[in-house]
Amino acid sequence: MHALIRQSAAHVRANSHFIHISTSKAPSIKETGLYGYHHLKTPKGFQRFVDDAIERSEELVNYIAGMPSSPEIIRAMDEISDTVCSVIDSAELCRHTHPDREFVDEASKAGLRINEFLHYLNTNHSIYKAVIKAEKDSSLTHEAQRAARFLRMDLEKGGIHLCPEKLDRANELSIDIIQLCREYNTNIITDPGHVDIFPASKIPKKMHHFVSPIYRNIPGASKESLGSRDSIKEKGFRIATEPSTLQGFLQCLPDAGVRKMAYVQGNSVPHANLEVLDKLIATRHEFAQLMGYKSYAEFSLHSTMAASPEVVLSFLLEMSKVVRPKADQEFEAIRDFKREKSGEPNGELEPWDEAYFTWLMKSATYKLDSSIIASYFPLPQCIEGLKILVESLFGVTFHRVPLAPGESWHPDVLKIVLHHPTEANLGYLYLDLKSRKGKHPICAHFAIRGGRRVSETKYQLPVVALVCNFSGSSLAPVRLNHFEVETLFHEFGHALHSLLSRTEYQHFSGTRVVLDFAETPSNLFESYAWDYRVLETFAKHYSTGDVIPKKLVESMVGAKKMFAATELQRQIFYALVDQTLFGEQTSTGRDTMAIVADLKRQHTSWTHVEGTHWHTRFSHLTNYGAGYYSYLYAKCFATTIWQRICQEDPLSLDTGLALRTKFLQHGGAKDPADILNDLVGSGIIRNCSGGIIPDITSLCEEMELMKH
């Protein structure tokens, strides 16, 4: 999806996930299909949806080939993008959330078909010539000129400017890359790993509902010693080591041997991905070289704020150096705590100890009980919190509206309209927040429809879906732990970017921005989930209605900060792994396990466990190849914005006005550096070797990393 869909629809949290989409008519209360598309009343409707999108796009391609005026070329290109997005992104949302297998299968087929058509669009020379002509037209508006430039660059990312032989090879490699990414991510799901623990007493009772009981014959037991029974079974437990549960287990397992087994197994699967990753690195490298770049990282970064791998590496190495002293202090504190608890004065601190002892230290220091915290965050109250947030900041009402027959994919789905008293409706938001069988376990933002100017009097309103995976049932209502509250606010930050942007072209709507700017709104709104002035407006006890105590929130914030340098160091390490694997390659190829081990030794306070290969289930290597650093960019930008714009009065209309008019409404239509400077003033970005890096001062102050 190189050109017409400049950025894939999925935006994901640093260790979770995110997505986007388009419709042509605002959903009405008459009978309709999924998301308000009349075609999607039945699973087979996806076929007609694709047919119509292809037919309309071909009409527009023929129109563009006739070389109309430059504004008309850009407008027609944007309509093609809007038309194709409507299918791709609807299919993605359906694939991830629909309980009906037939709908999921038809959505998958639709996605494949429209991607084949995209290949035709992205290699169409009449489109390319028209875009080049438009880009040279100095009479275009600033946004139209920016659209022409990005369309041209994105077509070239697919190789349209290459000679026929090279273009054919580029197309082959593109298909291989898609298949390798799919294989890599499938392996993560199908091979999560497990360990069998005997005896059962090694697993605390409070964890029994997370594990499966297993049995084995007791070795050496004789019939005589067993009386009349032929054999005796010993009970144990099987621990699945998929990432979502492994961390929870490591936090709660007092037995160091069991922790080690779970850690080693969880970080040694899927083994098949070692080979898949080698192939992916080699294929991306060949593709980048075909495009005239030294590495895939250079190819991937040339149109970002950073502009080059050298700039990203200078930023990451600076961050690594700044965070190291405090991370080392935290490491020593955890090691000393372990020695005291275990009675081993010379005991070493191992990687499988981190989650267990940091949790114990936080609990001992702040006396936190996760069930007490969750009692203040029933899901309906958290949705109320989002409502209060938009009303306070933007003067916008946020209320539930009825779903038309056929529009929803599950009874749990809510539909919200954002309404402004003088501007009318601003957009629609679907909320699908509860976990259920068959639903993909993601936390994601799907921009179902991008906003765009349709005519002088009509604006196509954005429609987004916010999908989470919070567990609960009708018998046990959903209550969120605070990490889940933070996740909800993170994804809502993406949703607000989509809902409040007012761009001429859907190509720039909301989150459709350069990679290293996309996570800034979501990181900013995470800060709202930690501020007591915000939490006291909605965090109320599920049975008594009491507001969450200020002291409890202070303890939560204290616990969060307790090992913040260690967590930041981990994210820097992840970004360095991503950057190095897709950086310049040696002629002999490289051992990814050795690279990861070396980087861990150089840039973290922790030892590497030989034989483990944590990176084979780091899905961001496929989603964000050479782009994982963007989370750290966003963390720096968001911290500065919070401190300079929001912290004094986070819920005021003045704060909201600045965020909306200087930031969110521009989507990708304005240069990110201009947006940041306009919002905050100087001191949020720095120029570096032809690229841009965030100023790290605010983040360092917040985390107390700077020496006084």
Side-chain angles (χ1 to χ4, degrees):
M1 295 192 296
H2 297 297
L4 295 173
I5 306 194
R6 195 161 50 74
Q7 181 154 314
S8 150
H11 288 308
V12 261
R13 283 202 80 181
N15 281 309
S16 65
H17 289 44
F18 98 66
I19 312 189
H20 40 296
I21 319 182
S22 301
T23 61
S24 358
K25 291 182 184 171
S28 71
I29 210 62
K30 296 174 189 168
E31 187 181 346
T32 182
L34 284 177
Y35 329 127
Y37 290 115
H38 64 276
H39 283 322
L40 301 184
K41 290 178 181 174
T42 65
K44 295 291 182 195
F46 267 107
Q47 294 177 21
R48 181 68 191 276
F49 201 20
V50 177
D51 292 341
D52 281 7
I54 290 174
E55 185 182 333
R56 177 59 183 150
S57 297
E58 285 177 334
E59 286 173 6
L60 289 162
V61 168
N62 291 333
Y63 172 67
I64 291 166
M67 289 291 177
S69 69
S70 298
E72 287 305 313
I73 289 170
I74 303 304
R75 186 69 60 197
M77 287 290 289
D78 195 60
E79 190 181 335
I80 294 174
S81 182
D82 187 60
T83 303
V84 173
C85 276
S86 68
V87 178
I88 288 187
D89 294 338
S90 297
E92 275 302 287
L93 177 57
C94 183
R95 246 174 22 85
H96 282 84
T97 60
H98 208 291
D100 185 330
R101 191 73 235 169
E102 195 182 350
F103 261 108
V104 172
D105 291 343
E106 288 297 330
S108 297
K109 288 181 201 166
L112 290 171
R113 272 188 68 206
I114 202 74
N115 271 298
E116 286 170 11
F117 179 66
L118 262 178
H119 169 69
Y120 153 74
L121 289 175
N122 289 336
T123 53
N124 186 301
H125 281 273
S126 60
I127 286 178
Y128 185 50
K129 285 174 188 167
V131 168
I132 288 174
K133 173 201 160 187
E135 189 183 7
K136 290 174 181 170
D137 187 341
S138 59
S139 68
L140 285 175
T141 65
H142 173 77
E143 187 174 338
Q145 282 181 331
R146 186 172 170 82
R149 185 169 83 256
F150 274 87
L151 284 163
R152 191 255 310 153
M153 288 194 303
D154 293 332
L155 284 161
E156 288 172 357
K157 274 188 177 177
I160 196 167
H161 57 303
L162 300 175
C163 67
E165 297 79 17
K166 283 188 174 180
L167 180 56
D168 285 346
R169 180 60 183 152
N171 290 331
E172 286 172 16
L173 292 168
S174 292
I175 291 163
D176 289 348
I177 288 166
I178 290 167
Q179 288 173 338
L180 286 164
C181 289
R182 193 169 289 168
E183 185 181 352
Y184 182 95
N185 289 319
T186 300
N187 287 343
I188 293 171
I189 293 165
T190 57
D191 183 15
H194 67 266
V195 287
D196 293 341
I197 305 299
F198 292 94
S201 58
K202 288 187 174 182
I203 304 294
K205 279 203 170 74
K206 64 181 177 181
M207 299 179 69
H208 285 187
H209 61 295
F210 290 117
V211 293
S212 308
I214 50 171
Y215 299 88
R216 70 177 179 187
N217 292 326
I218 293 182
S222 65
K223 278 191 185 181
E224 290 75 18
S225 66
L226 302 175
S228 60
R229 292 157 65 197
D230 289 337
S231 66
I232 188 164
K233 302 279 189 185
E234 180 185 27
K235 184 180 180 181
F237 285 110
R238 173 165 290 180
I239 300 176
T241 56
E242 74 257 26
S244 58
T245 55
L246 179 61
Q247 184 72 3
F249 282 122
L250 292 175
Q251 271 184 4
C252 301
L253 287 167
D255 188 303
V258 176
R259 286 201 307 272
K260 180 178 179 180
M261 287 170 67
Y263 176 91
V264 171
Q265 175 60 28
N267 287 280
S268 304
V269 285
H271 198 267
N273 272 355
L274 285 167
E275 186 181 346
V276 176
L277 183 58
D278 284 344
K279 288 179 181 172
L280 178 62
I281 290 167
T283 308
R284 280 179 165 171
H285 185 64
E286 185 186 344
F287 180 83
Q289 292 208 305
L290 203 59
M291 296 291 168
Y293 294 90
K294 285 185 292 190
S295 67
Y296 185 76
E298 186 178 81
F299 165 77
S300 182
L301 297 176
H302 80 277
S303 59
T304 62
M305 296 178 78
S308 74
E310 291 74 26
V311 171
V312 172
L313 282 170
S314 71
F315 166 72
L316 293 175
L317 293 174
E318 179 190 15
M319 291 284 284
S320 179
K321 189 177 176 183
V322 169
V323 80
R324 187 64 185 249
K326 187 152 190 196
D328 283 346
Q329 280 177 16
E330 291 177 359
F331 179 87
E332 288 160 13
I334 303 164
R335 185 193 61 203
D336 293 347
F337 182 82
K338 179 192 173 180
R339 287 173 175 176
E340 183 190 333
K341 279 285 176 189
S342 62
E344 297 173 18
N346 298 312
E348 290 304 318
L349 184 61
E350 304 291 353
W352 51 84
D353 293 328
E354 182 188 352
Y356 180 68
F357 286 106
T358 55
W359 180 251
L360 276 186
M361 289 174 77
K362 287 181 179 187
S363 301
T365 307
Y366 293 104
K367 309 288 188 290
L368 290 174
D369 181 327
S370 54
S371 64
I372 289 175
I373 294 170
S375 68
Y376 289 97
F377 295 107
L379 184 56
Q381 281 301 119
C382 294
I383 295 170
E384 179 70 14
L386 304 181
K387 176 184 176 183
I388 291 165
L389 188 64
V390 295
E391 288 183 357
S392 302
L393 277 173
F394 308 116
V396 167
T397 58
F398 177 101
H399 56 266
R400 189 172 170 181
V401 289
L403 284 144
E407 184 181 355
S408 177
W409 54 100
H410 192 273
D412 285 345
V413 175
L414 306 177
K415 184 181 177 185
I416 307 290
V417 63
L418 262 70
H419 180 85
H420 192 279
T422 59
E423 299 171 46
N425 289 347
L426 298 179
Y428 296 91
L429 172 68
Y430 294 109
L431 296 176
D432 181 3
L433 303 178
K434 297 180 189 177
S435 63
R436 58 179 175 269
K437 192 176 178 184
K439 181 181 176 184
H440 201 288
I442 57 169
C443 290
H445 152 262
F446 290 76
I448 298 171
R449 173 173 75 193
R452 68 184 180 115
R453 174 74 48 203
V454 179
S455 69
E456 283 192 19
T457 56
K458 188 177 176 192
Y459 193 82
Q460 175 175 288
L461 293 180
V463 179
V464 305
L466 209 158
V467 177
C468 289
N469 203 47
F470 303 141
S471 56
S473 66
S474 53
L475 297 173
V478 181
R479 292 181 202 132
L480 308 191
N481 62 47
H482 194 263
F483 174 75
E484 291 172 326
V485 177
E486 185 185 67
T487 298
L488 179 63
F489 275 68
H490 176 103
E491 299 303 341
F492 191 59
H494 287 311
L496 286 175
H497 205 184
S498 292
L499 291 165
L500 297 179
S501 83
R502 282 299 177 268
T503 56
E504 285 290 303
Y505 306 108
Q506 78 84 41
H507 200 66
F508 291 139
S509 178
T511 53
R512 292 169 189 199
V513 297
V514 293
L515 178 70
D516 42 13
F517 189 53
E519 292 291 333
T520 304
S522 53
N523 271 264
L524 176 64
F525 279 91
E526 281 183 29
S527 295
Y528 277 85
W530 288 97
D531 192 283
Y532 185 70
R533 292 164 294 181
V534 178
L535 294 178
E536 69 175 342
T537 66
F538 73 90
K540 294 173 184 173
H541 196 277
Y542 72 93
S543 65
T544 65
D546 291 342
V547 173
I548 191 167
K550 190 169 188 178
K551 281 197 169 161
L552 177 56
V553 175
E554 286 169 353
S555 294
M556 288 157 55
V557 171
K560 175 198 178 195
K561 288 183 172 179
M562 207 166 168
F563 301 106
T566 301
E567 181 53 39
L568 180 60
Q569 187 182 67
R570 188 178 359 264
Q571 295 303 320
I572 295 163
F573 162 60
Y574 290 170
L576 283 163
V577 167
D578 174 48
Q579 208 59 222
T580 307
L581 292 180
F582 294 112
E584 291 187 47
Q585 307 292 307
T586 59
S587 54
T588 54
R590 304 175 304 165
D591 176 355
T592 62
M593 283 174 69
I595 289 167
V596 171
D598 285 345
L599 288 169
K600 186 166 189 186
R601 281 188 282 265
Q602 288 173 48
H603 295 284
T604 81
S605 313
W606 297 78
T607 56
H608 172 73
V609 182
E610 288 304 322
T612 60
H613 41 85
W614 145 87
H615 59 290
T616 55
R617 61 179 188 190
F618 187 49
S619 60
H620 291 79
L621 293 176
T622 60
N623 305 337
Y624 279 81
Y628 192 77
Y629 76 94
S630 58
Y631 285 105
L632 291 165
Y633 263 48
K635 196 172 180 64
C636 291
F637 294 145
T639 305
T640 307
I641 294 166
W642 174 260
Q643 288 183 7
R644 304 258 195 100
I645 305 297
C646 308
Q647 195 166 42
E648 188 179 327
D649 195 352
L651 291 173
S652 75
L653 284 170
D654 285 345
T655 301
L657 183 68
L659 291 178
R660 186 180 174 196
T661 59
K662 295 184 177 184
F663 182 9
L664 300 172
Q665 76 177 27
H666 297 295
K670 193 173 171 182
D671 187 272
D674 292 340
I675 290 174
L676 291 167
N677 281 327
D678 187 37
L679 178 64
V680 172
S682 60
I684 188 166
I685 58 174
R686 288 186 284 153
N687 293 320
C688 172
S689 305
I692 288 169
I693 61 173
D695 185 271
I696 65 172
T697 310
S698 294
L699 182 65
C700 289
E701 285 173 359
E702 183 183 282
M703 296 183 63
E704 298 169 2
L705 298 177
M706 294 291 198
K707 289 179 182 172
H708 296 291

